[in-house]
Structures are given as C-alpha cells and as structure tokens.
Amino acid sequence: MKKKLISALLSVAMVSALLAGCGSKAEPESTPAPADTQAEAGSEAEPSEPAESVAETPAASGEGKVYYLNFKPEQAEDWVDLAAVYTEQTGVPVTVVTAASGTYESTLKSEMAKSEAPTLFQVNGPVGLASWKDYCYDLKDSDVYKNIESDDYVLKEGDSVLGMAYVIETYGIIYNKALLNDYFALPDAEITSIDELNNFDALKKVADGIQAHKDDLGVEGAFTSAGFDASSDWRFKTHLANLPVYYEYKADGITSSPAIKGTYLDNYKQIFDLYITDATCEPSLLSGKTGEDAASEFALGEAVFYQNGTWAYNDIKDNEVADEDLGMLPIYIGVEGEENQGLCTGSENYWCVNKNAAPDDIQATLDFLNWVVTSDEGRDALANKMGFVTPFKTFADGYQSTNPLILANDEYTKAGKTPVSWNFTTMPSEEWKNGLGSALLEYAQGTGKWDNVVTAFVDGWKTEYDAANEAE
C-alpha cells in the first residue's frame, strides 16, 4: 500500500511539472506544493516566472479575459479543468496560475507588476487586504456578491465590498478511528473512549500510551512528523499558533492587537512538545521532513494523529484509512473549559477582483465568478471535486460536501461546541511567521531554547506590527 501512495505522489509531482502546482491552507499557508502551476484557456497572459508549463483550451471569441492567481495548490488541477469548461461554453479565455506553497504574496507582487496582471487574486484576511485594498474592485453591486449568505464572509472598507470568502474550512487533529479504538482496547489504556478524549491531559495520556505501544499497534508513532520545510511548517507557525492567539483575544475581549502578551504560550509549548516527542521520527530529523511525509505517514496508517484540515482529505483518501475511519479532534492545549471547544473554522481565502484591469476583463471576471457559484458545473467542482464548504446561498440543495472531515465538524457544531475562530489572519506579517518557525525548529532540534520562541512570538509581533503600520 505504501507503493500505492508513493506512486500517486510521484504522479502528482509529474502532473505539477507538466501543467505547472498546491496546498491549502498550504499557506500561503494553508497547504503544500513543489511548483507553481499555470494553465491557460486561450489566453496570452504572461506566465508566472516560477510556472513551468501551460495547458491550453480553445481560443475565445469575446473581448474580455480572466487571469486567476490561485492560492491553493491542492486544487490547482481542479481550477484548470473548470476554467476549460467555462472557455468551452462561453469562448472567454481563463488563465489559472497557482503559486507554490508559501510564495503567494511574492508571486502576486511579481504578477501585478506585469502588463497582463491577474484579474482575480486572493488575500488572506484583514492584514492581507491592507496591502492590496488599492487594487480591489468594489463587489457590492456584483451578482456574485448577491449570492453570499452573510457579510460575515466578506472584507469591507466602509460600504465597499473588497473581498469575498469562497470557502469555509476547518482544521484540527485528524485521527484514525480504527487505530485509536485499538489503543482504547489495550489493557492498560488510561483513556478508553473517544468521549473521554476532550482535553489536553486526556490527549497526552493517549499519545503517550500509543507511543509506548507503537509496536503492538503497528504504528511508527502517535503523531505524524512535524516537518519544517515550506510545505509543512505553516501547520505550526500559523495554524497551531492560532490557538494561543485565540485564547488571548478571547480573554481580553478583542479581535486583533498591535501587541501580543503571550499569556498562553506555555500551553502552546506543551502541545508542540507532544507533537515532536510522541511522533514517527526523532525531533532532530524534522528539518528534513515535508508535508508529503506527514500525509503519507497518516494515509498509510503509520500514525494515529495528524494536525491538518478538511483540505487534506484528497491526500488521505484511497489509501489505508477508510473514510469511515476518519475523524477530527479539536486542538487541545490545556486551557480551562476546553472540553466545550470545537474545531478551528474560518477562511483565509478571499476573492478580490483587480480594479486596475481593463473594464472588459473586470466584467469577464465577475461573470466567471458568478458562473462558478451558480452553474451546475461550478457548484459540482467546488463542493464535490474540491470538497469545499462555501458561503453562497446557491449551494443549499444538492451541493453539500461528503468529505468526512467536514462532517466531523458538523458533529461538533450540532453538539453545541464553540468553534475556534481563525485569528491567524491578524498575525502581523509573513516575516513574523518565518521568525517563529525558525525558533520552533531550533527548539525542536535542541539547538535553541523555548525562550527564543517566546521572543519571536511576543517581541516579533510588535516589531512587525509597527513596521507594517509605519509602512502605511
């Protein structure tokens, strides 16, 4: 079965090289991919420099054209296919370029400087919008905006609608139910049911127990490897780091801050320690581990737990873990009352239309977006092929995802658990995340102290916030 996944991963890499690459929540952070991807639907737009090749669809008959700079590598091919369908139906050329994981901001800057700039691009939330608001067309009169369920899913400045979320995602600790049940059945298991696994102390007992019995359970470790290359480190410097930010904001009754106090960094430490000690590899090896390694370890049943999100389903399915054995736990960090915590739910994927594009191209882009959220082809692609939960009214009937990780989130919601909001969109800069990631890796490898992580988190936050503020 390992050969099956390795073969699949090689196939994906080959397709990426031929078409041109993602990840979600690669991150920018959201998910991983080795190369940029460009696909062209009858357009002559300049290719992104990192992109490797072009796939063509029929030439267009109209004046307007669409150039979408996609943020999510894991859906790169799905967008290419959908663009081709639209071009075939309408004659409008649609170019899709996907930035490599962790390079979206730099790729966007490069592409926006070209004569054929993206007509459709993405920002990750309020901080991202601050950098690009002068490029954003006001969507308030557009047909696609009329289909949004709520203004909770848009980015506004005054009355202007400058960005619109197109996918609501969830992350937590994905787990293998079959392997977890094998642990629960052990004679010395301290936790014996999933209902008891609802706080950090319980999670640590389970992880420690799995690690002690890994040979009996046939696994390499409780958690997958916490790799620190660009395809994986966003899981810890962004998504895991969201938890101490969330609880600090919640305690202080705020939704953003120019400075972070670090109230919950001891909690951050204990969950990170668990990830790197009860794992499939020694902490000293993490610098060489990737997102693909982690996905493979979980998909092949070598680990019980895997921090990631709903977007990871496509990397897991059709391997050793059956759909009915996929579950997701909240990320417990040892905060009082966390028994009532749900999964981390939100969006860092907001569509923005380039107001500096030619009028015909702006209209073509608005028409394309409306088609994506109203047509059978577009809704099927987003809900079923890409596995998205979308914030549009048009998906109410017949276009709900069957992704088992999404269904796990529904269960927590129905049980009245409080979802953890995505506060990482308020993190001051990509440089802050990179500084935190470097400190985490040095700590994991034993070449740095936890105090350096705290410094990167707290002092780095203020430094980067002040720098961004001065730049404005």
Side-chain angles (χ1 to χ4, degrees), residues 382-394:
L382 263 62
N384 299 320
K385 295 184 175 68
M386 301 185 201
F388 291 165
V389 173
T390 66
F392 297 100
K393 303 169 188 174
T394 50

Side-chain angles (χ1 to χ4, degrees), residues 408-466:
N409 183 50
D410 292 343
E411 291 178 12
Y412 279 99
T413 302
K414 289 173 184 174
K417 304 298 184 182
T418 302
V420 172
S421 57
W422 283 20
N423 301 105
F424 60 78
T425 58
T426 70
M427 290 172 178
S429 70
E430 194 65 24
E431 187 57 35
W432 179 84
K433 297 175 188 176
N434 292 338
L436 178 60
S438 295
L440 283 169
L441 177 57
E442 289 173 3
Y443 169 75
Q445 294 181 141
T447 56
K449 298 180 178 179
W450 184 256
D451 286 348
N452 298 335
V453 176
V454 174
T455 297
F457 210 111
V458 177
D459 296 350
W461 185 294
K462 185 171 187 338
T463 298
E464 287 301 306
Y465 182 91
D466 289 346

Side-chain angles (χ1 to χ4, degrees), residues 1-12 296 300 319:
M1 213 48 203
K2 188 158 194 170
K3 290 181 180 177
K4 176 181 175 184
L5 183 69
I6 292 171
S7 174
L9 292 173
L10 287 173
S11 298
V12 169
S296 173
L300 295 174
N319 285 285

Side-chain angles (χ1 to χ4, degrees), residues 29-175:
E29 290 180 64
S30 247
T31 308
D36 291 3
T37 300
Q38 170 162 329
E40 184 170 322
S43 169
E44 295 301 321
E46 293 179 65
S48 169
E49 262 129 21
E52 297 187 358
S53 64
V54 172
E56 294 186 359
T57 56
S61 57
E63 294 296 323
K65 58 187 181 299
V66 180
Y67 170 10
Y68 178 28
L69 185 61
N70 172 41
F71 166 73
K72 294 175 69 61
E74 67 271 30
Q75 275 82 38
E77 292 177 49
D78 295 323
W79 279 112
V80 168
D81 294 342
L82 190 59
V85 172
Y86 186 72
T87 296
E88 184 177 359
Q89 290 187 9
T90 66
V92 174
V94 179
T95 299
V96 175
V97 172
T98 296
S101 180
T103 70
Y104 191 84
E105 191 73 8
S106 60
T107 303
L108 180 57
K109 288 177 181 176
S110 172
E111 294 301 294
M112 280 298 195
K114 296 180 178 180
S115 57
E116 293 288 347
T119 64
L120 178 62
F121 63 99
Q122 295 182 217
V123 298
N124 70 347
V127 172
L129 180 66
S131 299
W132 291 100
K133 63 184 179 182
D134 291 341
Y135 289 80
C136 297
Y137 181 85
D138 186 357
L139 300 168
K140 70 174 179 293
D141 295 324
S142 66
D143 289 335
V144 66
Y145 172 63
K146 293 171 185 173
N147 282 312
I148 201 85
E149 288 180 348
S150 163
D151 275 359
D152 290 341
Y153 304 113
V154 303
L155 298 174
K156 300 181 79 171
E157 185 165 88
D159 293 331
S160 298
V161 178
L162 303 184
M164 184 181 316
Y166 67 89
V167 54
I168 306 301
E169 295 176 303
T170 296
Y171 69 91
I173 298 174
I174 302 170
Y175 66 94

Side-chain angles (χ1 to χ4, degrees), residues 333-351:
I333 65 172
V335 176
E336 185 178 354
E338 65 183 357
E339 293 83 1
N340 295 314
Q341 176 186 310
L343 301 173
C344 302
T345 300
S347 183
E348 62 170 345
N349 295 278
Y350 292 84
W351 280 329

